[in-house]
Amino acid sequence: MRPQKVFIFDTTLRDGEQVPGCKLNISEKLQIAEALEDLGVDIIEAGFPISSPGDFTAVKEIGLLIKDTTICGLSRAIEKDIKVAAEALTTAKKPRIHTGIGVSESHMRYKFNASKEQIIERAIKAVQYAKSFVEDVEFYAEDAGRAENEFLAKVIEAVIKAGATVVNIPDTTGYCLPEEYHSKISFLKENVKGIDNVIISTHCHNDLGMATSNSIAAINAGARQVECTINGLGERAGNTALEEVVMIIKKRMKEVYFTNINTPLLKSVSEKVELAMGMPVQANKAIIGNNAFGHSSGIHQDGVIKHRETYEIIDPLEVGVNESKIILTARSGRAAVAFKAKSLGFDLNKDTLDIAYKKFIEIADRIKEVGDKELTRILENTPQVSIV
Ligand code: KIV
Ligand code: ZN
């Protein structure tokens, strides 16, 4: 069987921008939207138009600017929200309204004070109303992760009948285990009439650190759209990181699935978002963190210098990182010091390497990392080291 496409729905400009301190101005949003289109995402969730005049304008301007990618606007299952989202999307070449309502016991009781029947009725009305503006309507069943599967199935069947083209099953609170989320999607696949005519979407939060695993579990159960953000930004502990899901599909699932993402742009888009949002990426973040291709222990450095694949499963160029890094610390061995010395233009033989290494280890024990400047100083003070 030919690999199937997994659609990448980026919500950096909506769920990502909800993070305290990550607010963007319009020009930053436009730049990020353009970068996302170049990256190859299929859908850009550009904002929540009713939330503020700024967000409304941003969605409108992004719609004008973006050529080919679907532009999505969020709304609650409220007529006014949907109408404003539709207005903001009039400039988009491919508009999508994303509307929905909470379906877990907790949301129905405490947020809506509504019965199950009332929730279903509101969901149907929202989708029908959204359909009067655009063809492409995505429905989100908020807090589906904690919802009863039987009730969730009823809601999803009703919104498909009302015209939803995509059904989003969010694990809003990051609660599900991967096998639970897999069973939830499988349950819907088996029990909802019409489910094969729509796209099932995953939208996972990272409260227990399982957003990426849950998204992958959902793909394996039949989901064909992943909602995610650059650098995993998003409410609380964040959303599924786009770069992680895309690289998992590319490295481990390519016989079965593919995405449209131009992966050598991942690092630069990540840096753009990091800078604009002022939210530093942790150094050990998978794929795009500064240490993702850095090696600091002697055993690993020796292996990587001999053959990169001994400790790297991704070629850094595949994600837009120029090269692997050898980081000199007190855990580094002779091979790493000789390698770094050579890259700095110093040619060491066995004896000079021994002398330089002794000095290096003394200093490395005192400071966290021996940088190029410090190593150059050591080498220049090592007798008989020739400069090549
Ligand atoms: O986490 C969530 O459930 C959401 C919805 C609005 C899609 O962000
Ligand atoms: Zn969310």
Side-chain angles (χ1 to χ4, degrees):
M1 218 165 74
R2 293 228 320 266
Q4 293 183 26
K5 173 156 180 174
V6 174
F7 290 84
I8 298 297
F9 174 117
D10 181 277
T11 182
T12 307
L13 294 175
R14 201 279 295 168
D15 221 324
E17 212 234 4
Q18 286 172 209
V19 175
C22 282
K23 180 95 188 67
L24 299 172
N25 62 36
I26 292 214
S27 126
E28 290 164 333
K29 285 187 189 181
L30 289 171
Q31 281 177 38
I32 291 178
E34 229 171 2
L36 291 171
E37 178 158 68
D38 292 345
L39 182 65
V41 311
D42 300 285
I43 302 104
I44 296 173
E45 187 162 52
F48 182 10
I50 193 133
S51 66
S52 74
D55 229 31
F56 178 87
T57 310
V59 173
K60 208 161 187 173
E61 298 221 352
I62 289 171
L64 262 182
L65 177 76
I66 295 301
K67 295 182 228 41
D68 230 18
T69 313
T70 296
I71 304 300
C72 179
L74 185 77
S75 74
R76 292 164 296 181
I78 296 175
E79 275 202 2
K80 181 88 197 303
D81 274 39
I82 297 169
K83 189 161 184 278
V84 172
E87 269 166 35
L89 288 166
T90 46
T91 50
K93 285 105 205 149
K94 295 182 190 165
R96 176 183 293 181
I97 294 179
H98 190 190
T99 188
I101 194 163
V103 297
S104 64
E105 194 55 41
S106 154
H107 280 223
M108 289 189 291
R109 180 180 307 173
Y110 299 111
K111 270 179 66 176
F112 301 107
N113 188 24
S115 67
K116 287 179 171 170
E117 291 68 32
Q118 286 167 327
I119 293 288
I120 295 187
E121 201 184 307
R122 285 196 209 176
I124 294 172
K125 278 206 174 125
V127 170
Q128 285 172 340
Y129 189 55
K131 264 319 240 202
S132 70
F133 297 102
V134 294
E135 171 47 35
D136 192 3
V137 173
E138 173 168 342
F139 176 81
Y140 64 87
E142 197 179 10
D143 205 16
R146 291 189 297 172
E148 265 174 32
N149 286 351
E150 287 75 12
F151 175 61
L152 179 62
K154 275 195 187 141
V155 177
I156 296 302
E157 191 164 303
V159 296
I160 292 174
K161 216 167 147 207
T165 43
V166 181
V167 290
N168 178 11
I169 315 299
D171 185 21
T172 304
T173 52
Y175 178 74
C176 286
L177 295 170
E179 54 269 34
E180 274 172 338
Y181 198 52
H182 184 283
S183 317
K184 198 171 276 291
I185 306 292
S186 302
F187 184 87
L188 297 176
K189 283 289 271 181
E190 281 155 24
N191 293 286
V192 171
K193 234 187 266 152
I195 194 90
D196 292 334
N197 304 326
V198 299
I199 291 179
I200 301 177
S201 184
T202 81
H203 178 112
C204 298
H205 279 266
N206 208 27
D207 300 66
L208 290 171
M210 294 189 289
T212 297
S213 311
N214 281 339
S215 304
I216 297 295
I219 294 172
N220 282 329
R224 290 293 171 269
Q225 177 179 284
V226 175
E227 305 194 6
C228 46
T229 58
I230 300 292
N231 302 340
L233 289 169
E235 283 275 357
R236 307 181 307 281
N239 287 54
T240 302
L242 179 149
E243 59 278 4
E244 292 175 12
V245 136
V246 164
M247 289 313 292
I248 291 169
I249 292 174
K250 189 166 182 195
K251 299 309 291 185
R252 302 301 317 275
M253 303 164 92
K254 68 170 190 282
E255 284 76 25
V256 211
Y257 308 112
F258 72 95
T259 72
N260 203 31
I261 298 297
N262 186 8
T263 64
L265 294 181
L266 283 172
K267 180 71 178 174
S268 62
V269 177
S270 157
E271 285 171 344
K272 196 180 267 281
V273 169
E274 180 182 28
L275 192 72
M277 293 207 166
M279 182 61 84
V281 172
Q282 72 198 55
N284 61 331
K285 168 79 187 60
I287 319 292
I288 41 83
N290 274 340
N291 290 350
F293 298 96
H295 306 274
S296 67
S297 92
I299 297 172
H300 291 208
Q301 290 174 333
D302 183 49
V304 169
I305 289 165
K306 286 178 177 144
H307 186 70
R308 190 188 60 74
E309 285 171 23
T310 52
Y311 287 95
E312 279 183 3
I313 57 162
I314 300 172
D315 181 336
L317 291 173
E318 265 187 271
V319 297
V321 173
N322 282 342
E323 56 186 0
S324 314
K325 272 192 297 194
I326 296 290
I327 302 158
L328 293 184
T329 70
R331 305 281 85 77
S332 300
R334 281 173 172 68
V337 171
F339 175 83
K340 267 281 187 178
K342 197 165 177 200
S343 76
L344 292 169
F346 293 91
D347 191 19
L348 303 179
N349 61 33
K350 188 181 170 313
D351 294 337
T352 49
L353 175 59
D354 278 348
I355 299 166
Y357 186 71
K358 208 164 155 230
K359 188 73 196 152
F360 160 80
I361 273 297
E362 270 171 40
I363 293 172
D365 253 341
R366 276 188 273 121
I367 61 178
K368 284 184 198 291
E369 188 181 326
V370 178
D372 289 358
K373 239 178 164 172
E374 193 62 38
L375 185 64
T376 304
R377 214 176 52 74
I378 296 170
L379 295 167
E380 281 172 350
N381 290 316
T382 302
Q384 293 166 24
V385 170
S386 58
I387 299 175
V388 286

